[in-house]
């Protein structure tokens, strides 16, 4: 899975941002700011073996990726839900699910979900059509 980001120099600092999940971090150098946003995501996910990578694409863009797409997908769902101020019950209601537990199990990674299900959840939570790239 890959998430697109951008970076800019603002005064003495470089700022990295992943707009889709409303994440920002900064560093004194471009390399440091990219490392900081990578570390921030790894710490927020807080799974012992979770690792991600940042690839600098030049032209002020980067891609954050992980081989552990399941964990990253769960993090994205939770981050989007919380960013929109929604509870698990509210998301389940918007999805038309009979029980909030079904959505909660997907967000927690306890039940496998297809790419189509993940994409649908993201669209409902963010209220816009998106396409997530899976590497």
């Amino acid at each position: 899975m890959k998430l697109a980001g951008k970076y800019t120099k603002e005064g003495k600092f470089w700022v990295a941002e992943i707009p889709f999940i409303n994440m920002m971090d900064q560093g004194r150098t471009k390399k440091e700011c990219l490392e900081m946003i990578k570390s921030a995501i790894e710490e927020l996910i807080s799974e012992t073996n979770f690792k991600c990578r940042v690839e600098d694409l030049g032209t002020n863009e980067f891609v954050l990726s992980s081989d552990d797409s399941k964990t990253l997908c769960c993090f994205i769902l939770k981050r989007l839900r919380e960013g929109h101020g929604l509870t698990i019950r509210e998301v389940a209601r918007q999805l038309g699910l009979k029980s909030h537990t079904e959505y909660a199990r997907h967000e927690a990674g306890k039940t496998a979900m297809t790419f189509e299900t993940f994409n649908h959840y993201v669209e409902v939570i963010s209220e816009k059509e998106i396409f997530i790239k899976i590497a």
Side-chain angles (χ1 to χ4, degrees), residues 8 10 12 19 34 45 51 57 59 62 121 123 134:
T8 56
E10 296 184 12
K12 295 180 181 181
L34 294 175
I45 289 176
K51 298 291 178 206
L57 302 175
T59 64
F62 68 92
Y121 286 179
E123 288 173 1
I134 302 291

Side-chain angles (χ1 to χ4, degrees), residues 12-83:
K12 295 180 181 181
F13 294 93
W14 286 84
V15 177
E17 176 184 16
I18 303 174
F20 182 66
I21 57 171
N22 195 28
M23 288 266 324
M24 293 180 83
D25 217 321
Q26 67 181 17
R28 296 184 195 277
T29 65
K30 178 172 60 171
K31 182 179 178 181
E32 184 180 90
C33 88
L34 294 175
E35 182 60 34
M36 295 295 285
I37 200 154
K38 173 188 162 307
S39 295
I41 289 175
E42 288 175 348
E43 288 179 29
L44 284 170
I45 289 176
S46 71
E47 292 284 329
T48 308
N49 296 319
F50 180 82
K51 298 291 178 206
C52 56
R53 300 174 293 287
V54 173
E55 179 186 351
D56 185 354
L57 302 175
T59 64
N60 293 2
E61 296 178 329
F62 68 92
V63 172
L64 183 128
S65 61
S66 175
D67 293 333
D68 187 351
S69 294
K70 176 184 170 185
T71 301
L72 191 54
C73 285
C74 294
F75 170 73
I76 290 168
L77 289 177
K78 184 176 181 182
R79 183 90 179 163
L80 289 175
R81 178 181 58 76
E82 291 175 345

Side-chain angles (χ1 to χ4, degrees), residues 68-103:
D68 187 351
S69 294
K70 176 184 170 185
T71 301
L72 191 54
C73 285
C74 294
F75 170 73
I76 290 168
L77 289 177
K78 184 176 181 182
R79 183 90 179 163
L80 289 175
R81 178 181 58 76
E82 291 175 345
H84 284 83
L86 298 170
T87 66
I88 287 174
R89 287 182 188 276
E90 289 168 331
V91 171
R93 195 173 310 118
Q94 287 179 354
L95 290 165
L97 301 176
K98 293 178 183 176
S99 167
H100 71 281
T101 305
E102 181 181 347
Y103 173 77

